Structures are given as structure tokens and as C-alpha cells.
Amino acid sequence: MTELFAFPDIEAELVGWLTALLAEMDDSAVVGTKVPNPLPQRLVRLVRAGGAQRNLVTDAPRVVFECWDGDEVAAAQLARTVRALLWAAAPGRIGAIWCNKIVDAGLVPSPDPDTGTPRYLITAELHVSGVPL
């Protein structure tokens, strides 16, 4: 029988990892997978938006990071910070996950359609290793 590998919950690992790094930088951004009501001043919402398993031991989840701030310049800066942290992570650990590489599509301005709040998006593909079952 072929050895079995499982892949960790990329969203949960990214939330914990990014929350800790932003806190170290004294950034007050809330990080999560849902948009709280009321919307906080600064928010990073991340959602897995697909991605495929590359081989037996490598998954490539595609993750969208939505970076909100009430100020356009601050929202763009938050997105640049998140992107820089992602690029600095690979190769290396993101929480308990080994990340071999990250490919991203840059920053895209995308104001929140419901509130008009400034928001920037980053779409990234993370190549992460699984663990044997």
C-alpha cells in the first residue's frame, strides 16, 4: 500500500502564525477567516480558495488574504506587510507547517462592496508538506 500523507488546516495555521507576527510588530490588525460584525478598524481575512495536491507529499493551497483598513494608504500598507511576511516565510515554517515556496499574484485594490471600506487582496499559492499518517 502507498504511504498516506495528510495536510494540515492551512487556514488555522496561517491565522495563528500571522496573528503572532503582526502582534510582534505592534500591529493591531485582527486576523481570521470570517468578517466580524462590527468590522474592526484593521482586519486580515484569509480564505482557502482552491489549490491542488502537487504530489504524494506536497499540497498547494491557494489562499486569498483580504486586508481592510478605514484608510486607503493604511490598507495598502497592511497588504504589503502581509505579503512581505509571506515571502520571508518560505522556505520555512508557518506554524507547524513546512512551506517550500510561495507564489503570489501581487496586490489588488478591491474596496469592500458592502461598506466601501478600503481593502486590498493578495492571492498566494503555498507549497506545503504533508505529514505521514
Side-chain angles (χ1 to χ4, degrees):
M1 179 175 171
T2 302
E3 190 170 8
L4 301 175
F5 284 81
F7 299 99
D9 180 345
I10 190 69
E11 291 174 323
E13 292 295 332
L14 282 167
V15 166
W17 173 80
L18 194 52
T19 297
L21 289 177
L22 289 172
E24 287 175 16
M25 300 171 76
D26 291 324
D27 192 308
S28 62
V30 174
V31 181
T33 59
K34 300 194 182 332
V35 178
N37 186 6
L39 185 67
Q41 173 68 28
R42 290 172 66 76
L43 172 66
V44 178
R45 176 182 178 237
L46 56 97
V47 178
R48 181 170 182 162
Q53 187 170 334
R54 294 280 182 198
N55 55 45
L56 180 64
V57 298
T58 305
D59 192 21
R62 184 171 297 119
V63 180
V64 177
F65 297 81
E66 299 172 291
C67 301
W68 275 271
D69 192 287
D71 175 75
E72 180 78 25
V73 172
Q77 181 56 48
L78 177 57
R80 285 193 298 274
T81 299
V82 169
R83 186 177 187 215
L85 291 169
L86 284 169
W87 273 98
R93 292 220 169 264
I94 293 177
I97 299 173
W98 179 260
C99 183
N100 298 306
K101 86 175 183 181
I102 295 174
V103 179
D104 83 64
L107 305 178
V108 178
S110 177
D112 184 294
D114 296 327
T115 65
T117 303
R119 177 182 70 171
Y120 279 76
L121 306 181
I122 305 161
T123 302
E125 184 177 270
L126 292 77
H127 294 223
V128 298
S129 298
V131 294
L133 288 179

